[in-house]
Amino acid sequence: MPKQTIKSSGNSDDRIHKIAKAAEIYGQRSFDNYAQVRSFAETTRDELCQWLSPDHQCVYLVPPEGPFGAENYRSAAYSVAGQGYLPLKPISFGLAVRISDEHDFMRLRIECRKEGDAMYTSIEGIRHIRIPLPVEKTGLLPLFEEIYTHILEFFTLSVDEYDNGNYGGTDIGFDIMRITE
C-alpha cells in the first residue's frame, strides 16, 4: 500500500507561528488566572483571620494536600506549584484554620475558578460560592460564613453522631493537625 501524505494549505512556518501565538495567549491567560486566584487566596487568608479573631494569627495558606505546618507556603500553597508550564484550569489552595488554643489547625481545600467578573469557589468540593471581582471585604462575607459553618458543622455533627451511636465511617476527610511551635 502506498504511503499517503497529508496535504496542507500553507507553509510550515505559518503553522508553527500560529501554534506559538496560541501558546503565548494561553500562557498569558494562565498567568492571569494564577495571579487572580493567588490575590483572592491571600485576601481571603488575611480577611478571614481578621473576621474570626483579630487578636490571633489563625489562618495560613498551605498546600491543598500533603503535610503542612502553621506557616504561609507562598507559591507552594497552590495546586499548580511545581508544574513547569502553568496550566489554565481551576486552582486549589489550602486554608489552615486554627481550631483550638493548643494550636490545632484544620485544613480546608478551596478550589477557585474565575469566570468573567466573578470567582467561583468550592469548599471541600461541597459548598459553592460566587464572589464578585474585584474582591472587596464585604464581598467575602458569604465565603467566611460558609467556612465557619462548614467547620462548626464538622464538629457538631460528629459529636451528634457519636452521641446517637452512628459515628462509624462518616468522616468527611478533614486534615486536623496539632502544630508545635
Side-chain angles (χ1 to χ4, degrees):
M1 184 171 212
K3 185 177 179 183
Q4 294 183 349
T5 58
I6 299 172
K7 295 183 181 184
S8 63
S9 60
N11 78 40
S12 58
D13 284 341
D14 288 342
R15 289 189 294 275
I16 197 69
H17 289 297
K18 285 180 181 179
I19 290 172
K21 184 63 179 170
E24 178 184 346
I25 293 167
Y26 177 97
Q28 292 167 350
R29 296 305 189 282
S30 63
F31 182 78
D32 178 65
N33 182 53
Y34 173 74
Q36 293 268 355
V37 171
R38 186 164 179 165
S39 175
F40 176 81
E42 290 171 354
T43 300
T44 298
R45 173 202 57 208
D46 296 343
E47 297 300 324
L48 177 60
C49 191
Q50 281 293 104
W51 187 78
L52 288 170
S53 175
D55 299 328
H56 302 287
Q57 177 61 41
C58 58
V59 181
Y60 294 95
L61 279 173
V62 299
E65 52 191 37
F68 70 95
E71 62 182 277
N72 289 307
Y73 283 74
R74 295 185 289 282
S75 61
Y78 303 91
S79 59
V80 295
Q83 292 187 19
Y85 203 79
L86 193 59
L88 183 54
K89 64 180 187 179
I91 296 174
S92 297
F93 59 89
L95 283 178
V97 179
R98 187 172 169 177
I99 58 169
S100 75
D101 292 333
E102 288 79 29
H103 297 282
D104 295 312
F105 284 82
M106 176 184 280
R107 174 176 39 204
L108 298 174
R109 186 175 204 269
I110 310 293
E111 183 176 271
C112 294
R113 181 181 87 253
K114 181 191 171 293
E115 287 187 18
D117 63 348
M119 186 69 69
Y120 290 85
T121 64
S122 167
I123 303 167
E124 295 292 329
I126 300 168
R127 298 177 184 266
H128 304 277
I129 303 103
R130 179 188 182 278
I131 307 293
L133 294 174
V135 176
E136 296 179 13
K137 290 180 187 182
T138 57
L140 289 171
L141 289 177
L143 177 62
F144 298 166
E145 289 288 346
E146 288 293 331
I147 289 170
Y148 174 75
T149 300
H150 197 69
I151 293 171
L152 197 57
E153 282 181 355
F154 169 76
F155 292 110
T156 58
L157 292 175
S158 295
V159 167
D160 181 59
E161 289 172 351
Y162 173 77
D163 287 348
N164 293 301
N166 186 19
Y167 66 99
T170 59
D171 183 28
I172 53 178
F174 285 112
D175 291 325
I176 299 176
M177 299 184 100
R178 177 156 294 162
I179 309 296
T180 56
E181 296 181 49

